[in-house]
Amino acid sequence: MPSPASGNDGGLGDPLLANGHGTGRAAGASSKDRNKHWVPTDEEEVLAAEERGGGDGRPLLYRTFKVRGILLHPYRLINLARLIVIIQFFIWRMRHRDSDSMVLWWITVVGDFWFGVSWLLNQASKLNPIRRVPNLALLNQQFDPPSGGGGSSSSSQLPGVDVFINTVDPVDEPVLCTMNSVLSILATDYPVDRHATYFSDDGGSLVHYEALLETAKFAALWAPFCRKHCVEPRAPESYFAATADEPYAGDAPGQFVDDRRRVRREYEEFKERLAALFTVIPQRSEAYERESPKGGARATYMADGSHWPGTWIEPAENHKKGQHAATVQVVLNHPGDEPQLGAPASSDTPLDLSAVDVRLPMLVYIAREKRPGYDHQKKAGAMNVQLRVSALLSNAPFIINFDGDHYINNSAAFRAAMCFMLDGRHGEDTAFVQFPQRFDDVDPTDRYCNHNRVFFDATALGLNGLQGPSYVGTGCMFRRAALYGADPPRWQPDGSKLLDNPWRQFGNSMPFINSVPLATHQERSVAPPASLDGRLTAELADVSTCAYEDGTEWGYGVGWVYNIATEDVVTGFRIHRKGWRSMYCAMEPDAFRGTAPNNLTERLYQILRWSGGSLDMFFSRNSPLLAGRRLHLMQRIVYTNMTVYPISAAFIFAYDLLPLMWLSGGEFYIQKPFQTYAAYMFAGIAMMEVSGMVEIRWAGLTLLDWCRNEQFYMIGATGVYPAAVLHSLLRLVGLKGLPFKLTSKPQYASGGEARERFAALYNVQWAPLLVPTVVVIAVNVAAIGAAAGRVAAGGLSLAQVAGVAGGLLFNAWVLLLLYPFALGIMGRWSKRPYLLFVLLVVTLATIALAYVTLLAVLGPGFVQPFRLGRWSGVGAIISPASWRF
C-alpha cells in the first residue's frame, strides 16, 4: 500500500545490470539522462572487495548511489529555509492575534500548524535519497555459473524461493490474467529446481484448479520457448501484445519466427480452453448428476468424476463460499536437480527443444478451509496458510508474494532481489526487498495517479537511505525467518530465539515446528519431501484449517498481521521494529507489472481502504509511537507520517468550504495585517514549489507526475480521508467501522469480442464517496460566480478588487486540483475535455448574472454579512496555500 506522501523508476542503466540472460538491455538514453544526477558512494568498498578477491567474505553484489551535491545540497537548503519561514510565520501569527473572526483564526492556526508538521514529516524521509543497483553479472559468477546443456544444473548455489500468488474469484479477477501471472513465474530466469509456486484460491473454485492444470500443460511449451529465445516479458498476453522492438537475445534466431507463430497458435487455443471452463464444468456436473442422481444439492464434479471439495456452482452445506474443506494439490512435482533436455522438432513436438531444459518448477494449489464463525482474515490469513504449507513442502528460505493480477515483466527480478539478500554488507540483516509497483493499461495521462510515481520514484528512495522502504504489498521478497518473528543477526549475538515456546508461537504441527530452524539457513535450496504420503497429506490439511491458529501468535507476532486493512504496511512495520533492514530495488525493464483501477469510484475505494487502514494502525498496538529502540528515529517519523495523513482532511475540507462567505457582501480578513500574512504565504509556497522542482530532477519525474500527485492528494482529502477518519472513530468506540470494498480488476475481452480500451475510465459509478468533492466543486464555482457578480456590480475600491483577486486565485486553485475528479464524473463526455470548460464558463456567467440581478432587484443591502457567533465578516480573502502550509 503506497502512502500518499510521495515515490523511482528503474535501475541506473548501469552496465552492472547486464546479467548475460537477456535482461541487461534495459537502459536507454532517457535513463542515462536521468541517472546523470547520481554518483556512486561505495567506490572504496568495491575496490577493497576486488583486492580481497572475495576470499574473506561474501562479494558486494550491489552498488550504492547518492544524488549529486549540486542538487542535494540546494534541496536540503531550500527545505531548511522553508522550515525557518514556517517557524517565523507561527511566531508572527501568535504575536498578531487580529482577525475579523477569532474562531476562524484559531481554526486556521491549528490547520496551518498541522500542515507544517505534515510537510516536515514528509520531507524528513527524502533528505538522503539512496539508489542501489544490483550487480547481476557478479551474482551469476559467484552463485550460478553458466552450465552446458541449455539449462540450470545442480551446480547453482542460489537459494530457494517460494512464490506466493493470491486470488479469490475467477470472474472478479479474470482467470486469464491470473494464469498469465502463473506462466510468467514458471518461465522466470531462476534455477528451475530452486523455486516453487503456491497458488492460493481463497474462493475454493474448481475453475481455478482446472485452469491451473491447463496452465501447467501450456507451460510445458511456453517455458522452454522463453528459455530458448530469451523473450521478455514472460507473460504471454503481454508478450504477444507488445511490439517487437527489442533485439533478439536467444541462441536460435533462424527458428524464432516459426517458433513464435506456433506458440502463439497454442496460446490462442489455451485461452479458448480457459474460457470454456465456465461452461464445461457445469455441463460435466449435470451429466454426472443425470447418470447417478442422488437428490439434494447438485454437486460440482471434477474431471475424474469425484466431488470437488471446494465451493460448488450451486452452493450447498460445506461447499459454498465461507464454508468448505481445505484442499492442497501438487499440480507439478519438484523437477529434480539435473537438467532434462527436450526432444527435437517432430509432428508431436512443434518446437526443437533438444538443447533446452524443459523442466518446470513445483506448482501447488491451495484452498484453505473456511467455516462459519471464524474470521478468516482475508489476504493475510491466506498468505499465512501458504507460509505453513510451503514450509512442509519446500521450505525455501526466501519468499516473494504476488497479487493475482501481477506478472513478472523482467525475468531477472528474483536474481536482482538476491543481490541484496546475499550481499556481504547488510545482507543477513535485510528482511525484505520491495520492488516498485508498475501498471499496464493506465490511461496515458494517468488521470487518477495510479502510477504514484512521487512515492515510488522519490519517497521510496528517501526511505532507502534510512532503515529501508515500507512493505507495500505485491512484488516483495521476504526472508522467511523474519516473517516467523526472528530477530536480525545483529540483535541476536547469542543465536536465534525462534523456538522459545514453539507451540505457543507456531501451533501444534511438529513437522512445521521442525522446519522452522532450517528456514534460517539462507543457502538452503528447495528440498521437497521424498513422497507425498498419507501422513504428510493429513499434515498439510491440518495446517490449512481454521482452528490451527487458535491460541497461537499467527497474525500477531508470526506471519502477516491480522485485523487491519493494510496488512502489508503493518507487517513491514512489525519487521522493522525488530531491527531488520529493507531494500528498494528498481530495475529496467520494470521487474513486475499489473493492473490498476481506471474507474474513479474504484480508485477512491482503494484509497479509502489504504487510508482507513493507516489510521487503524496508528491507533493500534502497532503504532509507530510505541515501537522500541530498534526502530530508527527517522524510520519512526516516516511511519508516523504514513499513518496520520488522513487527519489532514478535516482542515482541508474546512478551507475548501470557506469560499461560502463569498455569497455575502463586504470584506473579511482571517489575519491582519493581511499584507504580511500574504507575504509569508507566498514565500512558503514558492520555496515548496522550488523544492518540488529539484525533487523532480533527482527523482527522474515529469511535471505531469508531480501535478497528478498534488491533484489526487486533494481529491482524496476532500472525499476519501473524511470517510477514513469516520471509520477509525467508529472503531475507536468499539463499532465495526466502514466496510472496505475490494478493488475490481479490469475485464479481458473474450470470444473475439472487441472491448474499448480504458472503457472503465468513462463509466460513472455514483457512490457516497463522491458527494463531498462534488460539494466542494459546487461551492468554489459559486464563489467565483458571486465574486464576478460583485465586480460587475461595481462600487469596489482598488483594495477590494485586489482582495477579490486573491480569493479568486484560491478558488481557481482548488478547481484545478479537482480537475481529474470533474472529468471522472462527466463519464463519456470527458472524452472532450473542452466541454468541461464550456460548462464552467456558462455556469459562472449564469451565477454572476443571477447575483447582479439579485442586487439590482432587492438592493445592495439585502445580502447580509456572514456571521459566526458574534463575529461578523463577509467575503473570503485567504491565500491559496493556507491549507497546504
Side-chain angles (χ1 to χ4, degrees), residues 813-832:
W813 191 4
V814 170
L815 293 179
L816 182 62
L817 291 173
L818 298 179
Y819 170 69
F821 180 91
L823 284 179
I825 61 176
M826 286 179 64
R828 305 192 70 82
W829 292 101
S830 64
K831 293 182 177 181
R832 302 175 180 84

Side-chain angles (χ1 to χ4, degrees), residues 405 439-442 450-451 594-599 606 743-746:
D405 61 335
F439 302 104
D440 295 325
D441 293 330
V442 173
N450 280 297
H451 288 305
T595 59
N598 272 331
N599 182 267
Q606 184 183 59
T743 306
S744 298
K745 303 296 189 276

Side-chain angles (χ1 to χ4, degrees), residues 173 182 204 211 227 329 368 505 627-628 635 727 817 851:
E173 298 175 301
V182 175
R227 295 169 192 153
Q329 293 285 341
R368 58 178 171 146
Q505 291 174 279
Q635 196 79 11
H727 162 81
L817 291 173
Y851 196 91

Side-chain angles (χ1 to χ4, degrees), residues 60-374:
L60 306 184
L61 298 177
Y62 64 82
R63 296 293 308 276
T64 303
F65 294 78
K66 68 177 181 180
V67 178
R68 289 184 181 274
I70 195 172
L71 281 180
L72 184 60
H73 298 322
Y75 180 71
R76 293 172 173 172
L77 184 61
I78 293 167
N79 285 300
L80 176 61
R82 190 169 192 267
L83 176 61
I84 294 172
V85 169
I86 289 175
I87 295 173
Q88 182 61 36
F89 171 69
F90 284 112
I91 294 174
W92 176 82
R93 290 205 73 177
M94 297 308 296
R95 290 177 177 175
H96 297 80
R97 303 184 188 184
D98 188 5
S99 172
D100 288 332
S101 169
M102 290 305 297
V103 172
L104 290 181
W105 184 88
W106 276 110
I107 291 176
T108 59
V109 167
V110 174
D112 289 346
F113 177 78
W114 177 263
F115 294 128
V117 171
S118 298
W119 170 82
L120 182 61
L121 294 178
N122 185 41
Q123 291 304 118
S125 66
K126 294 187 281 189
L127 296 179
N128 184 37
I130 292 294
R131 180 177 283 172
R132 296 185 174 97
V133 178
N135 189 335
L136 300 179
L138 185 55
L139 176 84
N140 294 330
Q141 175 186 332
Q142 294 287 333
F143 294 95
D144 191 28
S147 60
S152 301
S153 73
S154 56
S155 64
S156 175
Q157 298 301 311
L158 288 171
V161 179
D162 285 338
V163 186
F164 294 175
I165 183 168
N166 299 84
T167 189
V168 177
D169 189 280
V171 176
D172 290 342
E173 298 175 301
V175 67
L176 177 61
C177 176
T178 307
M179 294 305 124
N180 264 267
S181 300
V182 175
L183 285 167
S184 72
I185 295 168
L186 297 179
T188 195
D189 178 21
Y190 202 77
V192 179
D193 57 321
R194 291 180 177 262
H195 71 101
T197 302
Y198 294 85
F199 182 94
S200 174
D201 174 17
D202 225 26
S205 168
L206 181 56
V207 170
H208 273 141
Y209 177 67
E210 297 205 355
L212 213 57
L213 296 177
E214 291 290 346
T215 301
K217 295 176 184 176
F218 177 68
L221 177 66
W222 173 251
F225 167 74
C226 292
R227 295 169 192 153
K228 177 180 179 179
H229 297 292
C230 297
V231 302
E232 298 284 349
R234 298 192 176 181
E237 189 72 20
S238 299
Y239 171 69
F240 290 121
T243 55
D245 55 355
E246 295 289 347
Y248 180 77
D251 298 324
Q255 302 174 30
F256 174 66
V257 174
D258 289 339
D259 286 357
R260 187 179 189 275
R261 185 183 301 114
R262 293 189 183 100
V263 172
R264 180 158 195 169
R265 183 169 59 247
E266 293 290 335
Y267 177 62
E268 293 301 325
E269 294 176 1
F270 165 71
K271 289 167 65 175
E272 292 176 2
R273 291 195 298 272
L274 288 187
L277 289 175
F278 292 94
T279 56
V280 168
I281 294 174
Q283 290 172 357
R284 176 205 306 153
S285 300
E286 290 179 7
Y288 277 115
E289 283 292 321
R290 285 195 300 268
E291 290 178 7
S292 55
K294 298 178 182 179
R298 300 180 64 179
T300 297
Y301 287 82
M302 302 173 66
D304 61 2
S306 60
H307 285 184
W308 170 242
T311 58
W312 289 353
I313 299 171
E314 295 186 10
E317 193 71 15
N318 296 321
H319 294 284
K320 58 186 177 181
K321 288 186 177 181
Q323 185 183 9
H324 57 78
T327 304
V328 179
Q329 293 285 341
V330 177
V331 178
L332 291 172
N333 289 307
H334 187 271
D337 296 333
E338 295 301 325
Q340 178 182 343
L341 301 183
S346 65
S347 57
D348 297 328
T349 308
L351 273 62
D352 179 6
L353 303 176
S354 57
V356 182
D357 186 356
V358 297
R359 293 176 299 162
L360 293 175
M362 189 176 181
L363 176 62
V364 181
Y365 171 89
I366 303 172
R368 58 178 171 146
E369 181 192 42
K370 288 191 173 182
R371 294 296 174 206
Y374 281 91

Side-chain angles (χ1 to χ4, degrees), residues 465-511:
L466 304 175
Q467 200 169 336
S470 56
Y471 168 41
V472 293
T474 182
C476 185
M477 179 174 284
F478 285 94
R479 190 178 295 273
R480 185 183 285 265
L483 286 171
Y484 285 166
D487 293 327
R490 61 188 177 128
W491 288 103
Q492 48 164 309
D494 299 329
S496 174
K497 299 179 181 179
L498 262 179
L499 298 177
D500 281 350
N501 188 352
W503 293 274
R504 176 71 177 85
Q505 291 174 279
F506 303 112
N508 58 11
S509 171
M510 283 308 301

